[in-house]
């Protein structure tokens, strides 16, 4: 929810890509971009930056050698887990003024 303030190293689009690859490892770049709502040039830049940071690897698709599949490295998984914990804590702080049923409505609305 409030991940823009969680890390100075990892942007919201980068976290979204990490999140997508945790949910569905081995997606190709185009599909990841579609999942997180990024255009072709933006997803290419995000993937490149995450690769340079050692957070994801590209591997050739065994069914189609022209296509690369994306997988998080062990470090990528660690960064995702660490940021997820921070995001959960921040969400608890921001949502604390709401009653449990109001929090449920809030999440229903943003979905």
């Amino acid at each position: 929810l409030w991940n823009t303030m969680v890390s100075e190293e990892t942007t919201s689009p980068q976290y979204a890509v990490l999140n997508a690859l945790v949910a569905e490892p081995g997606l190709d770049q185009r599909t990841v971009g579609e999942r997180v709502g990024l255009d072709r040039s933006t997803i290419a830049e995000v993937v490149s930056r995450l690769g340079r940071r050692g957070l994801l690897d590209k591997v050739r698709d065994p069914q189609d050698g022209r296509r690369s599949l994306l997988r998080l490295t062990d470090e990528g998984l660690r960064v995702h887990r660490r940021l997820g914990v921070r995001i959960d804590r921040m969400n608890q702080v921001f949502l604390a003024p709401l009653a449990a049923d109001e929090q449920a409505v809030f999440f229903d609305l943003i979905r």
Side-chain angles (χ1 to χ4, degrees):
L1 177 61
W2 303 104
N3 60 1
T4 54
M5 298 176 272
V6 174
S7 171
E8 292 179 13
E9 306 88 38
T10 305
T11 64
S12 293
Q14 289 173 357
Y15 181 76
V17 169
L18 295 176
N19 219 24
L21 291 171
V22 164
E24 298 179 81
L27 293 176
D28 64 88
Q29 184 169 298
R30 181 187 54 78
T31 304
V32 173
E34 289 171 359
R35 295 279 197 282
V36 300
L38 297 175
D39 62 56
R40 289 173 106 166
S41 61
T42 304
I43 189 64
E45 179 60 29
V46 169
V47 166
S48 176
R49 286 176 190 248
L50 291 171
R52 285 195 303 271
R53 289 179 57 199
L55 303 183
L56 65 75
D57 283 329
K58 288 183 179 183
V59 294
R60 285 275 160 229
D61 182 344
Q63 268 89 51
D64 181 352
R66 297 166 297 172
R67 193 168 81 144
S68 293
L69 305 178
L70 305 175
R71 295 205 178 105
L72 295 188
T73 62
D74 289 343
E75 180 62 14
L77 290 168
R78 275 192 289 279
V79 166
H80 178 266
R81 200 166 29 250
R82 192 168 54 244
L83 292 175
V85 169
R86 289 184 192 171
I87 289 167
D88 288 344
R89 276 195 222 122
M90 289 183 73
N91 286 344
Q92 289 172 0
V93 169
F94 283 118
L95 297 174
L98 300 178
D101 59 332
E102 293 171 323
Q103 289 182 23
V105 169
F106 176 79
F107 282 113
D108 285 345
L109 289 171
I110 63 170
R111 268 190 222 104

